[in-house]
């Protein structure tokens, strides 16, 4: 799934870089203060690998620090000391790395991205637990799920980082991108169902399968590949095949004309190829069968007693 960044004016983009989030998009209850404590080896990290905007939003950090740091975290403190400029940040990191001793780096940041568990009573109306049970294999089970509310913001120059599939009025997460700059990394997992997105495009309500039946059903949806199945052959083509087969049954199979212009050796009496008059009629078509649903049913799911 691809998406364009929020349609922000130049003024709002500058405000983002300066750490001044537009209140009409990001309210105060969406911003949380988080402290990430990281155990660092002697001589690390390299302060040159840290990049921030003028508002102290991280745009690049060393690979071994992510997680815990995330794209566009706003740096507030390092080891309890307030940091307000890029130079000050580099100096604090350099002092610790220069000591050539094992040390801890505690980054205190403001983070907009968050994930919280929802009670069943607070789930959206299209959640599976609110639907009646069904014994049909094509209907999603109504038990075996956890629900989450995810708050995030699509920062300028970030990416959404998910691929989706739709089935039976539901949107499933088929794949995720956990690279730096991906807004949804480590928040959405394959087989998650996106139930609802609020009007400001920053709050998602997620249905995550945890039960055996729910996992198998969701896995079947995202693993189903229609392109890998043989296409249904049109009726007129099947009819043409039937007419040609009837012609061969009546007149026999004739050797095709040779494609070589020169002399070719006659293999008709060599006995290497045997012809038979037995003809077996085959029904030419394909059925939409998903191989993933042909897995053995676990004993606890079997309807047999």
């Amino acid at each position: 799934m691809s998406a364009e960044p929020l349609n922000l004016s130049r003024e709002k983009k500058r405000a983002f870089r300066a750490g001044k989030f537009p209140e009409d998009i990001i309210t105060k209850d969406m911003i949380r203060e988080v402290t990430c404590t990281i155990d660092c080896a002697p001589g690390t990290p390299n302060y040159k690998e840290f990049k921030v905007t003028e508002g102290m939003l991280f745009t690049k950090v060393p690979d071994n620090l992510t997680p815990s740091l995330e794209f566009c975290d706003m740096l507030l403190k390092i080891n309890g000391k307030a940091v307000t400029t890029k130079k000050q940040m580099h100096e604090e990191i350099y002092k610790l790395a220069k000591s050539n001793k094992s040390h801890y780096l505690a980054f205190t940041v403001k983070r907009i991205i968050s994930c919280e568990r929802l009670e069943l009573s607070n789930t959206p109306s299209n959640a599976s637990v609110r639907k009646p049970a069904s014994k049909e294999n094509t209907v999603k089970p109504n038990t075996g799920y956890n629900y989450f509310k995810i708050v995030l913001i699509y920062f300028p120059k970030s990416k959404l980082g998910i691929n989706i599939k739709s089935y039976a009025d539901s949107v499933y997460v088929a794949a995720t991108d956990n690279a730096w700059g991906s807004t949804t990394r480590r928040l959405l997992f394959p087989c998650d169902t996106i139930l609802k997105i609020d009007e400001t495009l920053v709050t998602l309500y997620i249905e995550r399968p945890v039960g055996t039946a729910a996992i198998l059903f969701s896995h079947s949806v995202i693993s189903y590949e229609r392109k890998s199945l043989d296409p249904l052959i049109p009726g007129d083509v099947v009819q043409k095949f039937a007419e040609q087969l009837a012609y061969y049954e009546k007149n026999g199979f004739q050797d095709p004309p040779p494609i070589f212009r020169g002399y070719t050796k006659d293999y008709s009496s060599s006995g290497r190829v045997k012809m038979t008059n037995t003809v077996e009629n085959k029904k030419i078509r394909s059925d939409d069968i998903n191989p993933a649903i042909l897995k053995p049913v676990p004993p606890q799911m079997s309807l047999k007693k």
Side-chain angles (χ1 to χ4, degrees), residues 32 43 49 66 75 101 153 178 207 260 262 281 283 302:
R32 302 186 180 185
E49 296 183 18
T66 170
L75 179 61
K101 296 180 181 179
I153 184 65
N178 286 330
E207 180 178 76
F260 297 102
N281 292 323
K283 188 176 182 181
S302 178

Side-chain angles (χ1 to χ4, degrees), residues 66-236:
T66 170
S68 304
L69 299 177
E70 297 290 349
F71 184 76
C72 278
D73 279 350
M74 179 189 288
L75 179 61
L76 301 177
K77 301 176 183 178
I78 296 180
N79 288 354
K81 184 177 180 179
V83 177
T84 57
T85 64
K86 178 180 178 180
K87 181 179 179 180
Q88 188 180 2
M89 175 191 70
H90 283 172
E91 289 176 351
E92 292 297 324
I93 297 173
Y94 176 74
K95 288 178 184 177
L96 293 171
K98 186 180 178 181
S99 64
N100 279 329
K101 296 180 181 179
S102 299
H103 58 276
Y104 290 95
L105 269 176
F107 293 94
T108 302
V109 298
K110 278 187 177 180
R111 180 174 298 170
I112 297 174
I113 301 174
S114 66
C115 179
E116 61 178 289
R117 180 87 173 264
L118 288 178
E119 298 294 335
L120 296 182
S121 57
N122 296 328
T123 57
S125 58
N126 59 339
S128 296
V129 294
R130 297 182 178 273
K131 298 178 181 179
S134 175
K135 294 183 179 180
E136 295 292 334
N137 293 332
T138 57
V139 178
K140 191 175 184 179
N142 68 340
T143 58
Y145 302 96
N146 289 336
Y147 293 87
F148 298 90
K149 177 183 177 182
I150 296 176
V151 178
L152 52 86
I153 184 65
Y154 201 43
F155 286 102
K157 296 186 178 181
S158 65
K159 54 186 176 181
L160 195 56
I162 59 172
N163 291 328
I164 62 172
K165 281 188 175 182
S166 60
Y167 172 77
D169 298 327
S170 296
V171 177
Y172 295 82
V173 177
T176 60
D177 180 4
N178 286 330
W180 175 259
S182 175
T183 305
T184 57
R185 70 175 191 159
R186 285 184 289 279
L187 293 177
L188 296 180
F189 300 145
C191 292
D192 282 354
T193 302
I194 301 176
L195 300 177
K196 179 183 176 182
I197 302 177
D198 73 354
E199 296 178 355
T200 57
L201 299 178
V202 292
T203 304
L204 285 74
Y205 293 86
I206 302 299
E207 180 178 76
R208 182 164 297 160
V210 292
T212 304
I215 291 174
L216 286 177
F217 184 90
S218 300
H219 182 269
S220 298
V221 171
I222 67 172
S223 62
Y224 177 79
E225 291 289 348
R226 184 175 295 274
K227 292 182 180 179
S228 65
L229 301 176
D230 294 333
L232 184 65
I233 299 178
D236 57 341

Side-chain angles (χ1 to χ4, degrees), residues 2 13 22 30 82 96 108 116 143 169 234 249 258 273 287 305:
S2 61
K13 287 183 179 180
M30 296 180 182
L96 293 171
T108 302
E116 61 178 289
T143 58
D169 298 327
E249 290 176 346
V273 179
D287 296 322
K305 296 183 179 180

Side-chain angles (χ1 to χ4, degrees), residues 270-286:
S270 63
R272 295 194 306 168
V273 179
K274 294 183 179 180
M275 300 294 293
T276 177
N277 293 325
T278 303
V279 177
E280 183 179 355
N281 292 323
K282 293 287 187 180
K283 188 176 182 181
I284 304 175
R285 62 160 297 166
S286 64

